[in-house]
Amino acid sequence: MRGEHRIITFGLTDEQNEIVKANIPARDYEVFDTDAPTDIIAIGSIATVIQASELDEDSVGMLFDYYTQINGCTDETVIWLGDPKPPKELQKFFRCYPSFADIEDKLKYLLVNAHSKSKKAADYSEKLVNGLLILSIIRKKPGVTTKELSEKVSLPIRSVQRYIAALQATGEWLEYDRTLKGWKLSYGVSMLFGDVWDGEIK
């Protein structure tokens, strides 16, 4: 659901959209002005600015249902302007303000924060993917060396060593096998992959 360098606006005037453009966090950002509420859900963004009074009743219900279902599990910042106000459970995820005038002087701050939040989420996702990939390779090829892992995941050797240490800290039974001269899972079992140990040392 991540939107690379995109800010969506709905229901803003041309002048307000120009103000949003003047406050983008970096040059490579685009402001996507939409008049289709479904775009708010369908198109990924780091931030969405919604003028609530421009939504019809069905669209308000659709957006509230959608954001309630994902329960805040998004790196998108939603800036909600005016009435109708979101339900209480959404107000803890949305940034709610009475009008555009109330965010004008803090728009740069809001969009920089949205950028930072999105970047942190992207960095976390990348680390998670890299960790799982390293674990998967070791699981499939016991005895794989740190150098081979480095080449397969396109990461420096030191980074691979840090990922292995992090996986060990999570409880994965990774060990360096001196006979194989590489990494393996103790007993061939991975917690994250849901393997079941039959009690026999392999």
Side-chain angles (χ1 to χ4, degrees), residues 48-50 76-82 86 90-98 103 106 109-111 113-114 117:
T48 303
V49 184
I50 302 169
E76 171 194 16
T77 297
V78 178
I79 302 169
W80 189 271
L81 306 175
L90 289 180
Q91 289 181 28
K92 56 188 170 187
F93 304 122
F94 289 8
R95 300 290 190 105
C96 300
Y97 298 91
I103 66 164
K106 53 179 76 78
Y109 168 79
L110 289 169
L111 295 180
N113 270 4
K117 179 181 174 186

Side-chain angles (χ1 to χ4, degrees), residues 40-165:
I40 295 169
I41 294 171
I43 300 172
S45 67
I46 64 125
T48 303
V49 184
I50 302 169
Q51 180 58 59
S53 62
E54 296 298 313
L55 292 164
D56 60 35
E57 193 175 333
D58 287 343
S59 297
V60 169
M62 173 192 69
L63 290 173
F64 287 170
D65 285 348
Y66 169 72
Y67 285 110
T68 299
Q69 283 177 17
I70 64 172
N71 196 26
C73 295
T74 175
D75 57 347
E76 171 194 16
T77 297
V78 178
I79 302 169
W80 189 271
L81 306 175
D83 294 321
K85 287 186 173 61
K88 282 187 179 178
E89 63 267 19
L90 289 180
Q91 289 181 28
K92 56 188 170 187
F93 304 122
F94 289 8
R95 300 290 190 105
C96 300
Y97 298 91
S99 68
F100 188 85
D102 293 292
I103 66 164
E104 202 168 331
D105 63 339
K106 53 179 76 78
L107 196 51
K108 188 76 169 181
Y109 168 79
L110 289 169
L111 295 180
V112 166
N113 270 4
H115 169 77
S116 177
K117 179 181 174 186
S118 179
K119 189 175 184 313
K120 282 178 186 172
D123 291 346
Y124 176 79
S125 296
E126 185 180 350
K127 286 175 182 174
L128 185 61
V129 168
N130 287 338
L132 288 173
L133 183 56
I134 288 168
L135 178 60
S136 175
I137 293 167
I138 294 170
R139 183 171 175 256
K140 287 178 182 173
K141 189 185 173 187
V144 63
T145 66
T146 308
K147 185 173 183 294
E148 287 173 321
L149 285 167
S150 170
E151 290 165 359
K152 284 178 185 288
V153 296
S154 302
L155 287 170
I157 286 175
R158 282 190 179 184
S159 294
V160 170
Q161 290 169 331
R162 281 194 292 269
Y163 276 110
I164 289 171

